[in-house]
């Protein structure tokens, strides 16, 4: 949707814009430098540079000039490059009206006030940036379409109508319902543009016809450094963001299994018994996570920030780790950094005589003894006071540190803080210490979507909410668990931690009382603690999560290549449907599965918007016409899931952990109605060998009119030792058994 006269309000009309661009065609490229009277911005003489980044992206920078020289831009770690090439235009002094061509975009420049009007090749005006010469702030057209992105947390879903101070951390914005804030000045205009404000950091006001950006400190208004993207296709916008901030790295496969977090621990016996119970009850789980002492009375270590084991619970830590590994669990430990500054990298040496807690090399060295015992991953908490550069140093440290000792093993770290570019370090992120309320659950859905739109694909919540309240019931826990099964991070954590166990609601024991320090915290009513429904419903969604891992892991691999998140806003695939674009209460899981979490107490139905085309109810197989909102009846164990007609959905067998060996076949479910294709991605799930080509792709193609499914090795992939596949192909009630050995196979259905 173009920004026409109505959308631009007082801006150029399309006809006026085309007229001006045509008149300026003879001067489409500015000379190298224009000089004249001093251009003043925020009390400084200023220079403007326009640099082409790609066909769809350009960089607009306003530099302050001091003593005839421009100031440099400090590198904060968010961008993959510090140099983006020679500017196409450099302006100083008096600026006559003219147009600069940058790739497929045209930038009309005018003064009084300094304004940049951006149009595409057809002359459609995409955006209008207006600089305030006094403050160095700028405004842009809010428009009539949703504004998305801006990181984790803050006002949801569409950012229009809100003011955002972009405060980082758990004090950022409404912690109880919205959680921690990871503000990223990456704004997506769903009408066909996006901006990353690299510097300075500042606040946004989206309440008027013109939105504004104000630097957080007036004296830091310059340099102003903006990367502007103009593209109609959402996939192109994401590709450009990756060009700027980098591609997501691939975490280990086990990190997409279920992760069970623990708080106050009673004894060594309790630690081992929890793992045994998962296996005895056949409740799938891959990782056990242990909180640190200080955050709870008795955690894995001796005190907050310590790397010494709590001998009252872990008297023989290496033996306990070995036993948990024998039971096929990964072990993740909570860690806290006590400094608010961090610099350097894990590879930097650290002299013990000169230990520097602000040096990443020194800080990482503190982990290595425990890591050598067999710890599998880390949960770096806190960090709210850290500046942007320090947050990214910590993200990077947990990605680059572990391979120093295990060179061919993908690391895992669950962070509470980060910034643009954290995806380059496969950083997981969770939404902080939210409260156990229905409003919180409802709010976490759009927060997860916007986090994915902000380039942070590996996200989740404390299932059930961190702080128990009077609203914390078995019903709320189950609805949250269902939602969590369709978040990249599938993890339970919170106070009164035994109620975070899938069987914890039928024991009468909520766990240690931990409701102090939070206003509104409360113990669930005792009547809730003997509910026999909870465990089987949790099992249903645990098993579904593990069955869907072939589909999920393929979506994760796609994310590393394209940036398209696993948890996707409908806008990403239905950008021409205004109703779909505006929906923040449902999302796509990968390309083909639509998820509609139930977030209302005692719900008996759920309103679901299905975009155009036909959809299949995952639970019943019923075919439903899309392009409309429907009402789906729900009971306690049902969260609406729909699969797009013209889809191929690979489903593995139920496993108790991702590496469990099984002879059960892979199921390929066909949802007819259109041609379909799917690339099933597989590697060893652990190492970096896939970078050398050690991966296998099973390319599946469905021809709907002929009812034929073709299976073949994907181009560029290798035959892995597990190439031989027993496959069950499913189309409605029809089943076919197929053996795939690497040669192309056609299955007629």
């Amino acid at each position: 949707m173009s920004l026409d006269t109505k959308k631009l309000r007082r801006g150029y009309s399309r006809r006026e814009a085309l007229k001006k661009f045509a008149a300026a065609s003879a001067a489409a490229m500015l000379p190298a430098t224009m000089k004249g009277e001093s251009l003043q911005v925020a009390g400084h003489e200023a220079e403007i540079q326009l640099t082409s980044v790609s066909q769809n992206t350009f960089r607009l920078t306003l530099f302050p000039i001091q003593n005839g020289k421009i100031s440099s831009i400090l590198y904060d770690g968010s961008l993959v490059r510090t140099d983006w090439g020679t500017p196409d235009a450099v302006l100083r002094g008096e600026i006559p009206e003219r147009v600069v061509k940058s790739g497929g975009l045209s930038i009309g420049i005018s003064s009084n006030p300094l304004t940049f009007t951006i149009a595409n090749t057809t002359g459609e005006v995409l955006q209008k940036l207006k600089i305030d010469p006094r403050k160095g702030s700028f405004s842009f057209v809010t428009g009539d379409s949703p504004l998305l992105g801006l990181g984790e947390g803050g006002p949801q879903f569409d950012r229009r109508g809100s003011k955002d101070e972009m405060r980082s951390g758990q004090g950022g914005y409404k912690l109880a319902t919205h959680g921690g804030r990871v503000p990223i000045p990456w704004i997506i205009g769903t009408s066909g543009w996006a901006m990353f404000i690299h510097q300075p950091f500042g606040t946004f006001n989206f309440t008027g016809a013109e939105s504004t950006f104000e630097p957080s400190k007036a004296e830091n208004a310059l340099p102003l450094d903006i990367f502007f993207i103009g593209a109609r296709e959402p996939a192109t916008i994401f590709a450009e963001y990756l060009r700027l901030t980098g591609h997501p790295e691939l975490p280990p496969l086990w990190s997409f299994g279920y992760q069970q977090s623990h708080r106050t621990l009673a004894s060594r016996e309790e630690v081992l018994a929890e793992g045994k119970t998962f296996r005895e009850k056949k409740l799938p789980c891959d990782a056990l996570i242990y909180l640190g002492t200080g955050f709870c009375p008795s955690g894995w270590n001796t005190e907050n920030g310590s790397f010494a084991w709590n001998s009252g619970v872990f008297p023989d830590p290496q033996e306990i780790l070995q036993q948990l590994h024998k039971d096929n669990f990964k072990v993740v430990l909570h860690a806290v950094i006590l400094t608010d500054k961090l610099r350097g990298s894990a590879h930097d040496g650290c002299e013990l005589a000169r230990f520097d807690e602000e040096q990443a090399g020194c800080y990482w060295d503190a982990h290595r003894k425990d890591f050598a015992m067999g710890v599998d991953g880390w949960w770096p908490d806190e960090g709210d006071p850290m500046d942007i550069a320090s947050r990214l140093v910590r993200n990077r440290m947990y990605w680059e540190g572990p391979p120093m000792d295990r060179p061919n093993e993908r690391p895992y770290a669950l962070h509470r803080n980060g910034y643009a570019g954290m995806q380059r370090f496969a950083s997981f992120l969770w939404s902080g210490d939210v409260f156990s309320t229905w409003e919180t659950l409802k709010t976490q859905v759009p927060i997860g979507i916007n986090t994915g739109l902000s380039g942070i694909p590996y996200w989740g919540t404390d299932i059930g909410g961190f702080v128990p309240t009077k609203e914390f019931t078995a019903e709320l826990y189950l609805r949250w668990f269902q939602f969590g099964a369709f978040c990249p991070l599938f993890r339970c954590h919170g106070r009164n931690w035994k109620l975070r166990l899938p069987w914890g609601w039928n024991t009468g024991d909520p766990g240690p009382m931990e409701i102090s320090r939070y206003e509104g915290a409360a113990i669930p009513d005792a009547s809730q603690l003997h509910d026999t429904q909870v465990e089987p419903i949790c099992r249903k969604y645990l098993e579904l999560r593990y069955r869907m891992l072939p589909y999920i892991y393929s979506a994760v691999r796609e994310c590393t290549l394209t940036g398209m998140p696993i948890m996707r806003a409908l806008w990403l695939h239905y950008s021409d449907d205004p109703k779909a674009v505006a929906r923040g209460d449902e999302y796509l899981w990968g390309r083909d599965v639509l998820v509609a979490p139930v977030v209302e107490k005692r719900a008996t139905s759920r309103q679901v918007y299905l975009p155009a085309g036909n959809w299949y109810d995952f639970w019943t197989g019923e075919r439903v016409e899309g392009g409309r909102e429907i009402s789906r009846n729900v009971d306690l164990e049902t969260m609406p899931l729909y699969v797009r007609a013209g889809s191929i959905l690979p489903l593995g067998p139920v496993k108790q952990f991702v590496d469990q060996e099984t002879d059960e076949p892979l199921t390929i479910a066909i949802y007819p109605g259109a041609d379909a294709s799917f690339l099933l991605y597989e590697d060893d799930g652990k190492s970096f060998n896939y970078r050398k080509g050690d991966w296998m792709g099973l390319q599946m193609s469905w021809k709907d009119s002929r009812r034929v499914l073709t299976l073949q090795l994907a181009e560029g992939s290798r035959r892995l030792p597990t190439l031989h596949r027993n496959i069950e192909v499913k189309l409605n009630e029809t089943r076919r058994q197929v053996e795939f050995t690497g040669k192309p196979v056609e299955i007629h259905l």
Side-chain angles (χ1 to χ4, degrees):
M1 189 180 298
S2 64
L3 296 174
D4 57 16
T5 305
K6 292 181 180 178
K7 295 185 179 69
L8 285 172
R9 307 300 202 288
R10 295 182 295 275
Y12 287 142
S13 70
R14 183 174 175 179
R15 179 178 294 179
E16 288 171 336
L18 287 169
K19 183 178 179 181
K20 287 183 179 290
F21 293 155
S25 60
M29 287 298 294
L30 290 169
T33 304
M34 294 202 61
K35 296 182 178 179
E37 294 184 10
S38 173
L39 171 65
Q40 295 288 320
V41 178
H44 295 278
E45 184 181 357
E47 175 178 290
I48 301 169
Q49 293 187 9
L50 292 167
T51 307
S52 293
V53 174
S54 72
Q55 186 72 9
N56 301 100
T57 301
F58 71 89
R59 184 185 197 182
L60 167 63
T61 312
L62 272 69
F63 289 99
I65 302 174
Q66 296 178 340
N67 300 321
K69 296 182 179 180
I70 63 171
S71 299
S72 60
I73 295 178
L74 295 177
Y75 181 65
D76 61 14
S78 60
L79 299 176
V80 295
R81 293 168 54 184
T82 56
D83 181 9
W84 296 87
T86 303
D88 298 310
V90 179
L91 297 83
R92 291 190 187 187
E94 188 176 346
I95 302 172
E97 272 190 22
R98 60 181 55 238
V99 174
V100 175
K101 294 285 187 181
S102 178
L105 301 174
S106 297
I107 307 142
I109 306 171
S110 59
S111 54
N112 299 319
L114 181 59
T115 303
F116 302 87
T117 302
I118 304 148
N120 61 19
T121 53
T122 65
E124 290 180 300
V125 177
L126 302 177
Q127 191 49 268
K128 197 174 181 183
L129 310 182
K130 191 184 301 180
I131 309 296
D132 184 326
R134 183 175 59 87
K135 297 188 294 183
S137 60
F138 71 90
S139 65
F140 54 96
V141 179
T142 304
D144 293 340
S145 299
L147 298 179
L148 306 177
L150 281 185
E152 178 192 59
Q156 297 295 320
F157 164 60
D158 181 357
R159 305 291 187 169
R160 291 179 303 165
S162 70
K163 296 180 181 179
D164 198 327
E165 296 181 358
M166 303 289 281
R167 291 175 57 194
S168 180
Q170 298 218 127
Y173 181 86
K174 296 184 178 180
L175 173 62
T177 51
H178 291 63
R181 185 80 170 96
V182 177
I184 297 176
W186 161 247
I187 312 163
I188 298 170
T190 54
S191 58
W193 60 272
M195 282 190 292
F196 179 54
I197 295 88
H198 176 224
Q199 291 183 12
F201 203 73
T203 64
F204 290 91
N205 186 334
F206 303 105
T207 59
E210 288 189 348
S211 297
T212 60
F213 171 84
E214 297 264 355
S216 54
K217 294 181 180 179
E219 62 270 24
N220 296 333
L222 297 183
L224 172 62
D225 196 28
I226 302 171
F227 290 84
F228 185 92
I229 299 167
R232 185 65 67 186
E233 288 297 321
T236 302
I237 290 177
F238 259 79
E240 293 299 300
Y241 186 67
L242 263 59
R243 185 192 301 274
L244 300 176
T245 64
H247 287 251
E249 280 284 3
L250 186 64
L253 177 59
W254 66 260
S255 63
F256 298 100
Y258 177 65
Q259 302 181 35
Q260 180 64 60
S261 185
H262 300 72
R263 285 184 59 84
T264 298
L265 302 169
S267 64
R268 179 187 196 276
E269 290 69 31
E270 181 181 68
V271 169
L272 295 176
E274 297 299 337
K276 294 290 187 185
T277 303
F278 271 100
R279 298 299 179 234
E280 290 167 0
K281 287 179 172 288
K282 295 192 180 301
L283 292 164
C285 181
D286 262 277
L288 302 177
I289 309 175
Y290 299 103
L291 189 68
T293 301
F295 279 69
C296 64
S298 178
W300 77 270
N301 57 7
T302 55
E303 60 182 332
N304 187 22
S306 169
F307 289 89
W309 294 82
N310 174 4
S311 61
V313 180
F314 290 89
D316 49 353
Q318 190 156 11
E319 287 76 9
I320 293 175
L321 291 174
Q322 289 173 350
Q323 182 58 55
L324 293 174
H325 286 159
K326 184 178 179 181
D327 291 336
N328 297 292
F329 291 104
K330 305 297 182 183
V331 176
V332 177
L333 299 183
H334 177 267
V336 172
I337 185 168
L338 301 179
T339 179
D340 60 1
K341 292 283 187 181
L342 200 61
R343 65 183 185 278
S345 77
H347 295 287
D348 296 335
C350 180
E351 297 181 27
L352 291 178
R354 299 180 181 179
F355 183 84
D356 183 352
E357 65 179 6
E358 294 186 7
Q359 170 57 252
C362 289
Y363 184 59
W364 178 250
D365 276 358
H367 296 69
R368 296 178 75 176
K369 182 178 179 181
D370 295 331
F371 193 56
M373 290 184 184
V375 172
D376 299 285
W378 300 94
W379 172 16
D381 200 353
E382 294 201 325
D384 288 2
M386 285 184 161
D387 59 21
I388 289 169
S390 295
R391 279 179 252 154
L392 288 174
V393 166
R394 185 165 75 160
N395 279 224
R396 178 181 175 184
M397 180 187 72
Y398 279 98
W399 178 249
E400 294 183 345
M404 292 169 60
D405 297 303
R406 301 179 198 168
N408 200 26
E409 181 179 303
R410 293 177 230 165
Y412 170 81
L414 171 59
H415 293 266
R416 196 170 85 181
N417 280 284
Y419 193 66
M422 65 186 291
Q423 70 273 9
R424 301 197 302 269
F425 315 118
S427 298
F428 278 75
L429 179 72
W430 97 99
S431 62
D433 296 350
V434 296
F435 281 47
S436 302
T437 68
W438 287 97
E439 183 62 25
T440 303
L441 173 58
K442 181 179 181 180
T443 305
Q444 292 299 297
V445 178
I447 284 174
I449 299 170
N450 262 329
T451 302
L453 288 173
S454 302
I456 305 171
Y458 310 131
W459 177 90
T461 68
D462 286 345
I463 291 175
F466 176 74
V467 180
T469 74
K470 291 181 179 179
E471 294 185 41
F472 193 32
T473 60
E475 180 192 9
L476 177 59
Y477 171 78
L478 282 172
R479 292 304 190 193
W480 212 314
F481 198 92
Q482 293 162 5
F483 168 55
F486 286 85
C487 291
L489 173 69
F490 185 19
R491 162 185 174 267
C492 277
H493 175 68
R495 295 188 167 215
N496 296 105
W497 73 268
K498 294 197 175 182
L499 293 180
R500 317 304 164 147
L501 297 165
W503 62 87
W505 289 85
N506 193 30
T507 64
D509 179 12
M513 299 294 126
E514 299 177 323
I515 59 172
S516 61
R517 295 178 49 215
Y518 289 93
E519 185 177 350
I523 300 298
D525 189 275
S527 65
Q528 291 287 313
L529 305 182
H530 297 280
D531 193 323
T532 59
Q533 300 178 89
V534 176
E535 185 178 329
I537 295 176
C538 286
R539 177 180 285 104
K540 175 179 178 177
Y541 283 86
L542 284 166
E543 292 181 349
L544 177 58
R545 171 70 170 219
Y546 278 74
R547 289 207 68 200
M548 292 193 77
L549 278 175
Y551 175 81
I552 295 169
Y553 197 53
S554 299
V556 171
R557 174 60 168 167
E558 180 188 357
C559 175
T560 67
L561 300 174
T562 67
M564 293 288 271
I566 304 102
M567 189 176 182
R568 302 182 183 181
L570 269 59
W571 164 72
L572 287 167
H573 294 291
Y574 300 97
S575 58
D576 293 332
D577 181 347
K579 292 182 179 179
V581 172
R583 293 302 286 243
D585 64 337
E586 60 186 59
Y587 56 93
L588 295 170
W589 186 237
R591 174 63 184 92
D592 299 319
V593 180
L594 187 146
V595 181
V598 178
V599 296
E600 301 292 340
K601 185 178 181 179
R602 290 192 287 270
T604 57
S605 65
R606 168 60 151 96
Q607 297 300 115
V608 181
Y609 181 76
L610 298 175
N614 289 316
W615 297 80
Y616 290 87
D617 187 309
F618 177 82
W619 303 112
T620 68
E622 177 188 4
R623 184 167 172 165
V624 183
E625 182 181 354
R628 62 193 177 106
E629 186 171 89
I630 65 168
S631 180
R632 178 32 162 115
N633 291 336
V634 296
D635 54 24
L636 186 58
E637 68 176 87
T638 304
M639 179 177 69
L641 300 172
Y642 288 87
V643 184
R644 184 174 59 93
S647 297
I648 301 171
L649 184 62
L651 297 169
V654 173
K655 293 185 176 183
Q656 298 305 303
F657 50 94
V658 298
D659 290 331
Q660 185 178 20
E661 295 183 0
T662 176
D663 293 328
E664 294 295 314
L666 172 74
T667 298
I668 298 176
I670 307 295
Y671 291 85
D675 290 350
S677 65
F678 188 86
L679 175 60
L680 177 66
Y681 174 83
E682 294 180 339
D683 58 28
D684 63 20
K686 304 171 185 177
S687 75
F688 293 102
N689 291 345
Y690 68 93
R691 294 176 175 175
K692 300 182 292 185
D694 287 346
W695 62 277
M696 191 179 83
L698 181 57
Q699 184 65 59
M700 311 177 193
S701 300
W702 168 251
K703 294 298 182 183
D704 199 61
S705 60
R706 296 173 53 216
R707 292 295 192 267
V708 173
L709 176 69
T710 302
L711 306 178
Q712 60 185 20
L713 276 178
E715 184 178 354
S717 72
R718 295 182 184 177
R719 297 172 54 170
L720 298 181
T722 52
L723 173 67
H724 186 277
R725 288 287 186 281
N726 291 318
I727 296 174
E728 179 184 71
V729 180
K730 174 185 172 184
L731 174 65
N732 300 323
E733 301 304 317
T734 304
R735 304 285 192 277
R736 293 285 187 274
Q737 301 296 321
V738 180
E739 188 175 76
F740 180 73
T741 60
K743 297 180 180 179
V745 177
E746 278 195 356
I747 303 103
H748 295 259
L749 297 161

